[in-house]
Amino acid sequence: MADSITITDNRSGESLEIPLTNGGVDAAEWRKLLPGMWFHDPGLATTSNAESAITYLDGANGVLRHRGYPIEQLAAQSTFLEVAYLLVHGELPTAEQHDEWVHTITHHTYIHENFRKRFFEGFHFNAHPMGMLTSSVAGLSTFYPEAKDIEDPEARHAQITRLIAKMPTLAAGAYRYSKGMPFVYPDNDLDYTSNFLSMMWKVAEPRYEADEVLKEALNTLFILHADHEQNCSTTAARTVGSAHADPYSAISAGCAALYGPRHGGANEAVLNMLDEIGSYDRIDDFIEGVKAGEQRLMGFGHRVYKSYDPRAAIIKDTAHKVFEVTGKNPRLDMALKLEEVALSDEYFVSRSLYPNVDFYSGLIYQSMGFPTSMFTVLFAIGRTAGWLAHWQEMLEQNSRITRPRQLYVGPDERDYVAIGDR
Ligand code: CMC
């Protein structure tokens, strides 16, 4: 059987055989038969915008692998920094490479004092931490003008390590500022996750001792969020990067896209939804409202997964471990009931709507003490590794600038009418 398809233009009778490459059809080939005609695909739901060797996702079967490694194995056995290394470098590090990577990341966690004092203190007292994170990541580009040198692999790598290193510092700084609490400096003796927890929660103790179970849970959550191929925020980061903007600007674009409730903002929206439902006896009414199109069941549904999101399954498991330490989140039973009702309802079944990564993660974050406004920030810390891996891969492939076409449906040419005559 030939690995190709043949298309025929019925207007001219002309046919064209197009090879199938890596499971896709090259639009440039296809266009030979259809010059000046564009593929209309809103939301790019059926368009591949990249050849990527980073993450494999099989949505029908709930499979997620990074560089070939199943997410289940990485979540159970690895650390976030090791997974970040894997995403960025393509292979798991040797012990020596690992030590060097961890050392470099650890020694780039500080942010410039001027930046901390003048930039952060410019925000309004109740600024959303995600807005603070998005703008401060973009602001960092002004401190590292050499980041514009995107052609130089060494300069690229320097910004990659800086961004992965500084994200928790910016995130915790945003939280502390919103609480009116003093900034906690990074502690180079702590691992990545413990250091973040210390910058979040340390008060007057000489050293903040993170609970091992909670630290491990957060490590798992960072891994689960580290990458998800061409999702909305990665596409945003890639699009800005494709114009050869510096990586801080590109990653800031990723943060901005992640902030939206259809994407990374869904974890915050799930908690707000559970609060809005309020009690068990209102679940059925709420589900009826969802089916009538009044609102969406947040934390459900996915563009790619049409079966259970494998990340959600791991998170559900992690939630139980966390609740053994923190006590059960009172909203857990409501979430479980909501899932049960939804999964037995024709509306959700026929549309293949299952819990996604955001459905249970917020419950864990909340039980660990994070305010809802920090949930998407935690997502962003993990996803930074993925954004950067894609940004680097795109530059290494010398990709073209992202510039799609449109189908114009506006008025034909017409003459300008003076304002008094309209
Ligand atoms: N609740 C109710 N109905 C839904 C939902 C939902 N959460 N998600 C999709 N649908 C329905 C939708 O109304 C449509 O029905 P119909 O065919 O009758 O018009 C059908 O399912 C297909 O939905 P869609 O909007 O065309 O699907 P999409 O692939 O464009 O959107 C999505 C994917 C994730 C934006 C969407 O499922 C959604 O809004 N979910 C809630 C927000 C959420 O949990 N987002 C987190 C995504 S996972 C983490 C991440 O990567 O960010």
Side-chain angles (χ1 to χ4, degrees), residues 228 231 258 261-264 266 270 290 295-304 306 309 311 347-348 351 353 356-358 379 383:
H228 214 228
N231 57 89
L258 192 73
R262 283 174 160 189
H263 191 12
V270 169
V290 170
Q295 68 262 319
R296 287 202 165 193
L297 177 52
M298 300 311 287
F300 257 69
H302 199 275
R303 170 62 61 79
V304 181
K306 298 304 167 198
D309 181 339
R311 301 168 302 171
Y347 174 94
F348 297 91
R351 290 169 177 77
L353 299 172
N356 58 48
V357 70
D358 291 319
F379 192 153
R383 186 54 56 87

Side-chain angles (χ1 to χ4, degrees), residues 274 277-287 328 330-341:
L274 292 174
I277 299 173
S279 62
Y280 264 135
D281 53 341
R282 297 192 52 211
I283 287 181
D284 288 340
D285 276 356
F286 180 82
I287 291 286
K328 192 168 82 178
R331 291 167 189 79
L332 175 67
D333 288 338
M334 213 153 68
L336 288 168
K337 182 75 188 161
L338 205 51
E339 179 183 344
E340 186 190 312
V341 172

Side-chain angles (χ1 to χ4, degrees), residues 128-192:
H128 194 290
M130 204 50 204
M132 293 170 78
L133 186 74
T134 305
S135 39
S136 53
V137 170
L140 276 185
S141 72
T142 63
F143 280 79
Y144 302 108
E146 71 274 20
K148 283 188 175 40
D149 192 4
I150 55 150
E151 306 288 346
D152 175 5
E154 265 182 47
R156 285 205 294 257
H157 200 260
Q159 312 320 320
I160 287 173
T161 48
R162 276 189 181 131
L163 269 157
I164 293 174
K166 291 182 202 311
M167 226 44 188
T169 316
L170 294 174
Y175 168 74
R176 302 287 289 203
Y177 181 76
S178 71
K179 288 282 164 207
M181 292 177 78
F183 182 83
V184 176
Y185 288 96
D187 181 339
N188 287 354
D189 289 335
L190 297 177
D191 65 73
Y192 191 81

Side-chain angles (χ1 to χ4, degrees), residues 143-395:
F143 280 79
Y144 302 108
E146 71 274 20
K148 283 188 175 40
D149 192 4
I150 55 150
E151 306 288 346
D152 175 5
E154 265 182 47
R156 285 205 294 257
H157 200 260
Q159 312 320 320
I160 287 173
T161 48
R162 276 189 181 131
L163 269 157
I164 293 174
K166 291 182 202 311
M167 226 44 188
T169 316
L170 294 174
Y175 168 74
R176 302 287 289 203
Y177 181 76
S178 71
K179 288 282 164 207
M181 292 177 78
F183 182 83
V184 176
Y185 288 96
D187 181 339
N188 287 354
D189 289 335
L190 297 177
D191 65 73
Y192 191 81
T193 313
S194 306
N195 183 39
F196 172 60
L197 289 170
S198 159
M199 291 189 289
M200 281 291 298
W201 310 127
K202 188 171 185 290
V203 185
E205 62 275 48
R207 167 159 292 163
Y208 178 81
E209 294 291 343
D211 180 279
E212 276 302 312
V213 175
L214 302 187
K215 188 187 99 176
E216 263 319 300
L218 195 57
N219 175 56
T220 306
L221 284 157
F222 284 158
I223 292 174
L224 294 179
H225 287 97
D227 191 45
H228 214 228
E229 48 121 298
Q230 310 300 323
N231 57 89
C232 178
S233 55
T234 301
T235 302
R238 284 181 56 110
T239 300
V240 172
S242 80
H244 285 184
D246 69 82
Y248 298 96
S249 304
I251 300 311
S252 167
C255 289
L258 192 73
Y259 195 0
R262 283 174 160 189
H263 191 12
N267 49 19
E268 185 176 345
V270 169
L271 262 284
N272 295 337
M273 175 186 76
L274 292 174
D275 284 346
E276 201 187 306
I277 299 173
S279 62
Y280 264 135
D281 53 341
R282 297 192 52 211
I283 287 181
D284 288 340
D285 276 356
F286 180 82
I287 291 286
E288 286 312 311
V290 170
K291 287 156 65 177
E294 289 162 17
Q295 68 262 319
R296 287 202 165 193
L297 177 52
M298 300 311 287
F300 257 69
H302 199 275
R303 170 62 61 79
V304 181
Y305 290 123
K306 298 304 167 198
S307 68
Y308 215 93
D309 181 339
R311 301 168 302 171
I314 301 168
I315 288 182
K316 209 168 157 183
D317 206 40
T318 307
H320 292 295
K321 292 184 193 146
V322 168
F323 298 156
E324 273 174 31
V325 177
T326 62
K328 192 168 82 178
N329 188 314
R331 291 167 189 79
L332 175 67
D333 288 338
M334 213 153 68
L336 288 168
K337 182 75 188 161
L338 205 51
E339 179 183 344
E340 186 190 312
V341 172
L343 293 187
S344 57
D345 191 298
E346 162 63 16
Y347 174 94
F348 297 91
V349 174
S350 64
R351 290 169 177 77
S352 302
L353 299 172
Y354 292 88
N356 58 48
V357 70
D358 291 319
F359 193 66
Y360 288 105
S361 59
L363 292 173
I364 303 183
Y365 295 146
Q366 190 178 51
S367 289
M368 289 175 78
F370 291 102
T372 44
S373 59
M374 280 296 285
F375 293 1
T376 312
V377 173
L378 297 165
F379 192 153
I381 293 176
R383 186 54 56 87
T384 298
W387 289 331
L388 289 163
H390 284 273
W391 169 75
Q392 175 180 251
E393 184 182 65
M394 182 189 70
L395 292 176

